[in-house]
Amino acid sequence: MSMRIGGLASGIDTDTIIKDLMKAERIPLDKLEQDKTILEWQRDKFREINTIVAELDKMLLDMQLTSTYSTKKASSSMESAVTASGNASAGEGTYRINVTQLASSAINFSQTKLDRAGLNEAIQSYIDDPANLNANGEVTFSFFSYGEADEENNIPAGMQERIVILKQGDTIDDVASKINAADNNVRAFFDENSGRFMIETKRTGNYNTDENLYGGKEIGFNNTGFFNTVLKLDYTKEQGGEDAEFSYNGVSGFKSKDNSYTMNGITFQFTNETNGDAVLTLNNDVDAAVEKITEFVDKYNELIELLNETQTEEKYRDYPPLTDAQRDDMEEKEIELWEEKAKSGILRGDSIISSALFTLRQGWFKTVGSTGAFDLITDIGISTTRDYLDGGKLEINEDKLKEALQKDAESVYKLFAGEGETKGLIDHLDESLGNLESQIERRAGKSTDSALDNYTIGRRMDDLNDRIDAFEDRLTQTEDRYWRQFSAMEKAISMMNQQSAMLMSFGQ
């Protein structure tokens, strides 16, 4: 870069003059940058639309499930003892449940109070006794608990032996950890406060039904071995390990390993014995179905409002994007108000959005040819608003929708989800949303797209970037040329001043 001389000889404010000249030269560059900003705004608005589309798309799955329209609500005359819940296929009606016994886990504990130090000494004495060595020279003890069949290792279901290997230095905590590791269904620990070693099953229920095998206990062990001599346990003292027992509509003999039982789509939960019949009533939960449909309609209307807004908002052509220089001269509030108008209408007249609004609205008026009682969405109290300026937003007549669900929830489901090869309203909506989403992605890309050449707007932005870079290079060259010209002028004036001074000195 040549040396820049700023008005030393002429007295001219060269720097200001060149800045003013460059402002004029930058006008085409400002226009390019404004065009790029508009493309960025358009891209971001398109992606905002696709965000709502994605949220709505996730809700479509629920709208194709029978449970959305046939949620069951149960009441119980003994809420503190028995409750129920039903799936979509559960039969409505009244049920009588009499719980005579809750399912319980098995538990056993030391018959005498122990202390940690004494236990650790007893464990060490057991390990040190050669009589406790097995054929491999290991110190072990074992217990039995129920296990599932293991076909790979040819082990049948039933009471299975669990072997624990002890090592020098093991403490009571080590013993508990090794018991827990030997059987995932068993929990062992030493309770410091009570001075008891405890072992219990993690699951409820009676799995050992053989009274000849450890008296039908869930955790069996040798009463002359480690459990008895060191931990002071007696397998005959085990408590619990029982199945839940109840009667259903007067029929007794029902059992369950845990405190729940499912039949005919209804799951009964037991929390206490009933001392008589608990009366449970199961009805279709119309309010829950209306709430889910309303949530879906609200999200759909949010999309329509956003799409419609882009087509109806005013376009202010006298408010282009601000340049950096303009921003520097404005207050923050002024910038906010300006950009609000500059962004208004940036997608107005876009064919993707106008076509989507038409297709989405048209989809709701299709006739569904299922075997259900309803063929049109208006049959169940849902229609588009009367104001055409709303762009096809939906509104719900809640009373009519509740009446349809109470009368025939299955037909409401078929209207939305279809039946067999027959498409429902949600299928048509899914197609329209998928088409809209894919068109927007081709135009504006995804939020995860890092390369501009993956979508149409990005390629236009990439082209503008190249043009901006080239123009900035030209501006640099132009500014250098201006400085060279003014510098040459300054040098010429300086030389003239020197010659004039010499002539004047000769005249004296």
Side-chain angles (χ1 to χ4, degrees):
M1 182 182 292
S2 60
M3 181 177 176
R4 295 178 173 180
I5 302 174
L8 293 177
S10 65
I12 296 173
D13 188 356
T14 305
D15 191 58
T16 300
I17 292 174
I18 292 178
K19 283 182 179 179
D20 290 339
L21 288 170
M22 291 308 298
K23 284 181 182 178
E25 295 284 353
R26 281 189 61 88
I27 291 175
L29 177 62
D30 290 339
K31 181 63 170 65
L32 290 175
E33 290 179 338
Q34 287 171 328
D35 290 344
K36 178 185 173 183
T37 298
I38 290 175
L39 289 176
E40 290 174 342
W41 287 348
Q42 289 177 337
R43 177 198 62 190
D44 293 345
K45 196 67 175 180
F46 272 125
R47 290 181 178 181
E48 180 185 349
I49 292 170
N50 254 6
T51 298
I52 304 298
V53 171
E55 292 172 358
L56 184 60
D57 196 50
K58 290 180 181 178
M59 301 178 74
L60 295 186
L61 178 60
D62 284 343
M63 295 301 292
Q64 291 177 307
L65 299 175
T66 57
S67 57
T68 297
Y69 311 91
S70 300
T71 302
K72 296 300 189 294
K73 177 173 62 177
S75 60
S76 172
S77 63
M78 297 185 190
E79 291 283 349
S80 62
V82 186
T83 57
S85 59
N87 61 27
S89 65
E92 297 181 51
T94 301
Y95 305 87
R96 292 181 292 112
I97 301 293
N98 180 16
V99 181
T100 55
Q101 177 176 283
L102 289 177
S104 62
S105 57
I107 185 170
N108 204 334
F109 51 88
S110 304
Q111 296 303 301
T112 59
K113 189 172 182 179
L114 307 169
D115 66 87
R116 182 179 293 276
L119 261 178
N120 289 337
E121 289 179 6
I123 293 169
Q124 196 59 49
S125 296
Y126 185 88
I127 294 173
D128 291 339
D129 188 346
N132 295 323
L133 294 177
N134 62 17
N136 297 322
E138 298 173 328
V139 180
T140 66
F141 66 88
S142 64
F143 64 98
F144 285 78
S145 70
Y146 183 87
E148 301 293 339
D150 182 353
E151 295 181 2
E152 183 177 344
N153 296 305
N154 197 30
I155 300 175
M159 294 293 281
Q160 299 172 3
E161 185 177 21
R162 317 296 187 188
I163 297 175
V164 177
I165 301 175
L166 299 181
K167 294 182 180 180
Q168 284 288 338
D170 277 351
T171 65
I172 186 60
D173 293 329
D174 295 320
V175 169
S177 295
K178 290 182 177 183
I179 291 175
N180 294 336
D183 188 346
N184 291 331
N185 293 318
V186 166
R187 175 172 48 235
F189 60 95
F190 177 68
D191 179 41
E192 200 83 46
N193 293 326
S194 66
R196 310 280 185 177
F197 183 83
M198 298 189 180
I199 183 168
E200 60 184 347
T201 56
K202 294 180 182 179
R203 60 191 175 191
T204 58
N206 178 18
Y207 288 87
N208 182 12
T209 57
D210 186 353
E211 291 296 324
N212 295 318
L213 186 61
Y214 295 104
K217 303 302 182 184
E218 297 304 301
I219 306 170
F221 46 85
N222 189 340
N223 261 356
T224 60
F226 183 83
F227 276 97
N228 180 260
T229 59
V230 177
L231 302 180
K232 304 304 180 185
L233 292 165
D234 181 348
Y235 80 82
T236 65
K237 304 297 184 181
E238 179 182 286
Q239 300 175 17
E242 303 291 347
D243 293 341
E245 296 181 359
F246 64 100
S247 66
Y248 169 80
N249 284 346
V251 179
S252 60
F254 287 89
K255 291 187 177 184
S256 175
K257 296 295 183 190
D258 54 31
N259 288 305
S260 68
Y261 194 89
T262 300
M263 66 169 70
N264 193 30
I266 307 170
T267 298
F268 298 99
Q269 294 285 346
F270 312 135
T271 54
N272 212 334
E273 295 176 4
T274 57
N275 192 27
D277 284 346
V279 180
L280 298 99
T281 304
L282 196 68
N283 293 312
N284 198 23
D285 192 353
V286 172
D287 291 335
V290 170
E291 182 179 350
K292 290 178 181 178
I293 294 172
T294 301
E295 288 175 357
F296 169 75
V297 168
D298 288 344
K299 179 59 67 174
Y300 174 81
N301 285 343
E302 183 182 342
L303 173 63
I304 295 301
E305 186 174 349
L306 181 59
L307 293 174
N308 191 48
E309 184 182 77
T310 64
Q311 302 307 292
T312 58
E313 60 187 6
E314 188 173 349
K315 188 174 182 64
Y316 298 93
R317 300 186 183 280
D318 294 333
Y319 287 81
L322 295 169
T323 64
D324 291 338
Q326 290 171 329
R327 284 174 170 273
D328 292 340
D329 294 335
M330 297 173 69
E331 298 291 336
E332 186 175 339
K333 186 63 177 178
E334 291 176 317
I335 294 173
E336 181 182 339
L337 293 173
W338 183 284
E339 289 197 341
E340 184 178 327
K341 289 191 174 182
K343 291 180 178 180
S344 179
I346 56 173
L347 295 184
R348 183 162 183 168
D350 183 85
S351 60
I352 291 177
I353 297 176
S354 58
S355 175
L357 281 167
F358 174 78
T359 304
L360 289 169
R361 181 168 187 160
Q362 187 182 49
W364 292 114
F365 293 100
K366 292 182 180 294
T367 299
V368 177
S370 69
T371 59
F374 309 117
D375 289 324
L376 295 169
I377 196 170
T378 52
D379 294 340
I380 62 171
I382 302 177
S383 60
T384 54
T385 61
R386 294 182 179 180
D387 189 350
Y388 74 96
L389 294 176
D390 284 342
K393 291 171 70 173
L394 299 177
E395 60 182 1
I396 299 174
N397 182 327
E398 193 169 303
D399 290 337
K400 191 171 182 179
L401 178 57
K402 283 184 176 181
E403 181 183 350
L405 287 165
Q406 288 170 338
K407 179 182 177 182
D408 193 345
E410 180 68 15
S411 289
V412 177
Y413 160 72
K414 290 178 179 179
L415 176 65
F416 278 102
E419 182 182 18
E421 298 298 320
T422 302
K423 292 183 177 180
L425 295 174
I426 297 300
D427 295 308
H428 295 299
L429 176 61
D430 191 25
E431 290 177 2
S432 298
L433 291 177
N435 186 47
L436 172 60
E437 188 174 32
S438 61
Q439 288 188 69
I440 287 178
E441 286 180 359
R442 286 195 294 272
R443 178 77 64 83
K446 300 178 181 179
S447 59
T448 55
D449 281 334
S450 57
L452 294 177
D453 57 1
N454 288 342
Y455 51 99
T456 304
I457 290 179
R459 288 190 287 273
R460 291 169 61 187
M461 289 170 60
D462 200 24
D463 177 63
L464 280 174
N465 285 335
D466 291 340
R467 292 168 62 188
I468 288 171
D469 290 341
F471 202 94
E472 286 178 338
D473 290 341
R474 288 199 299 273
L475 285 178
T476 299
Q477 295 170 6
T478 300
E479 187 176 8
D480 287 343
R481 176 169 55 80
Y482 280 141
W483 275 106
R484 286 196 302 273
Q485 290 172 340
F486 274 95
S487 294
M489 180 190 73
E490 291 292 335
K491 289 179 180 179
I493 292 174
S494 178
M495 290 178 62
M496 291 175 63
N497 287 340
Q498 291 176 6
Q499 291 174 357
S500 176
M502 289 176 61
L503 290 172
M504 290 178 66
S505 66
F506 289 150
Q508 295 176 355

